[in-house]
Amino acid sequence: MKFRRFAAVFALAATMAAPALAAEWTVGANIGNVPWEFQDAQGKFVGFEIDLVNEVAKRTGNTVKIENIPFNGLFPAVLSGRIQIAISSITITPKRLETLAFAQPYYDSDQSLSVLKASPINKLEDLSGKTVGVDTASTGDIWATENTGKYKIAKISRYEGLAPAMLDLAAGRIDGYISDIPAVEYYIKDKPQYRVAGRIPTGERYSFMFAKNFADAAKVNDALTTLKKEGFIAKTHQKWFGSMPPADGATVKVLDMPK
């Protein structure tokens, strides 16, 4: 009896002394959203936000499993608990903050109208009677829907990612594509058949999205603060966009978590 009691106490002590296993975050990402998250030639997931979420996990003692989810599916995936964090150049909006939460922003952006180089479209007013492509449920989708009447847009075609939209643009199935300007500029930098016809000022900011009750929210936000102060996020910006970000922007400045 004494031996059994001792063995039980010893086992309990050993368990208590063992280091805690790192908690794994399942991170949803719309793979194909260059340069934020996409696959390289070897099939590895890479990109600005892939680098960032992996570094945040490293700093907080966590591990990451990336799950490829279409952009529109990221919101129910977070709400249902299927994933803990969503990344994909997700804009913080008042509407989204009603049901979801975000860490402090780390990127400032606007929307853009991209067209073929030979297109007669040179400004938003030229969209009258035209068909535009957008990413489903994106801020580009929201903008196009709200401005259909103003610019007399004939039709909105919705896509799950930039690449299929740009292929349809090249094939003439749509006349223009409205999407985040950094992703478009990265995509077309070696594709002279495309051009950006106009920047659409929307004052957007991107961040990690998670459920309101996400237990590691503060840890994630604190890690982003550290990475901004150390210059890690600015260097990651330089790696993927070829330039350092403005000193007064969200990539460099420590900001509050949005409410």
Side-chain angles (χ1 to χ4, degrees):
M1 181 68 72
K2 284 182 181 178
F3 176 77
R4 264 183 281 187
R5 249 192 242 122
F6 175 77
V9 171
F10 180 79
L12 178 62
T15 301
M16 293 174 66
L21 293 174
E24 182 180 72
W25 292 330
T26 302
V27 176
N30 179 28
I31 302 300
N33 180 33
V34 294
W36 308 99
E37 38 274 320
F38 61 104
Q39 285 181 288
D40 64 12
Q42 288 72 47
K44 181 183 177 183
F45 292 160
V46 296
F48 180 101
E49 288 177 310
I50 298 293
D51 285 353
L52 188 53
V53 77
N54 278 315
E55 188 66 21
V56 167
K58 177 182 172 184
R59 299 299 183 98
T60 58
N62 295 85
T63 58
V64 165
K65 179 179 76 173
I66 304 292
E67 186 172 335
N68 186 9
I69 299 174
F71 185 82
N72 200 33
L74 293 171
F75 303 90
V78 169
L79 288 169
S80 68
R82 173 182 165 190
I83 61 176
Q84 284 72 59
I85 298 173
I87 57 175
S88 284
S89 54
I90 305 174
T91 301
I92 303 163
T93 69
K95 184 67 175 175
R96 290 170 181 170
L97 285 168
E98 290 176 8
T99 54
L100 295 156
F102 288 84
Q104 63 176 293
Y106 48 72
Y107 195 89
D108 299 306
S109 183
D110 287 318
Q111 292 294 298
S112 64
L113 169 63
S114 52
V115 299
L116 290 176
K117 186 176 182 180
S119 171
I121 297 172
N122 293 302
K123 57 187 182 299
L124 296 176
E125 288 75 13
D126 295 335
L127 290 176
S128 178
K130 306 297 186 184
T131 297
V132 299
V134 299
D135 298 325
T136 304
S138 67
T139 45
D141 188 353
I142 294 167
W143 185 92
T145 301
E146 291 177 347
N147 288 276
T148 294
K150 179 178 179 180
Y151 294 106
K152 300 181 176 62
I153 297 169
K155 181 183 176 184
I156 298 174
S157 294
R158 292 176 171 84
Y159 297 86
E160 301 302 330
L162 179 148
M166 294 302 264
L167 289 173
D168 269 10
L169 180 58
R173 285 186 280 270
I174 59 176
D175 300 296
Y177 174 55
I178 294 172
S179 187
D180 302 336
I181 195 165
V184 169
E185 288 182 332
Y186 182 89
Y187 182 84
I188 70 174
K189 66 181 182 180
D190 59 351
K191 299 175 180 66
Q193 68 269 37
Y194 300 106
R195 63 184 171 86
V196 173
R199 189 178 187 109
I200 305 171
T202 50
E204 296 172 57
R205 283 179 161 176
Y206 304 157
S207 192
F208 297 153
M209 183 175 74
F210 35 75
K212 286 184 178 290
N213 62 352
F214 179 45
D216 290 335
K219 284 170 57 177
V220 168
N221 197 69
D222 289 347
L224 288 172
T225 293
T226 299
L227 294 177
K228 285 183 180 185
K229 289 180 176 179
E230 291 180 1
F232 176 89
I233 306 181
K235 289 176 184 175
T236 304
H237 184 284
Q238 184 176 39
K239 171 184 174 181
W240 290 106
F241 295 102
S243 64
M244 291 297 284
D248 60 348
T251 306
V252 176
K253 284 184 68 176
V254 174
L255 300 163
D256 294 330
M257 288 182 70
K259 295 178 181 178

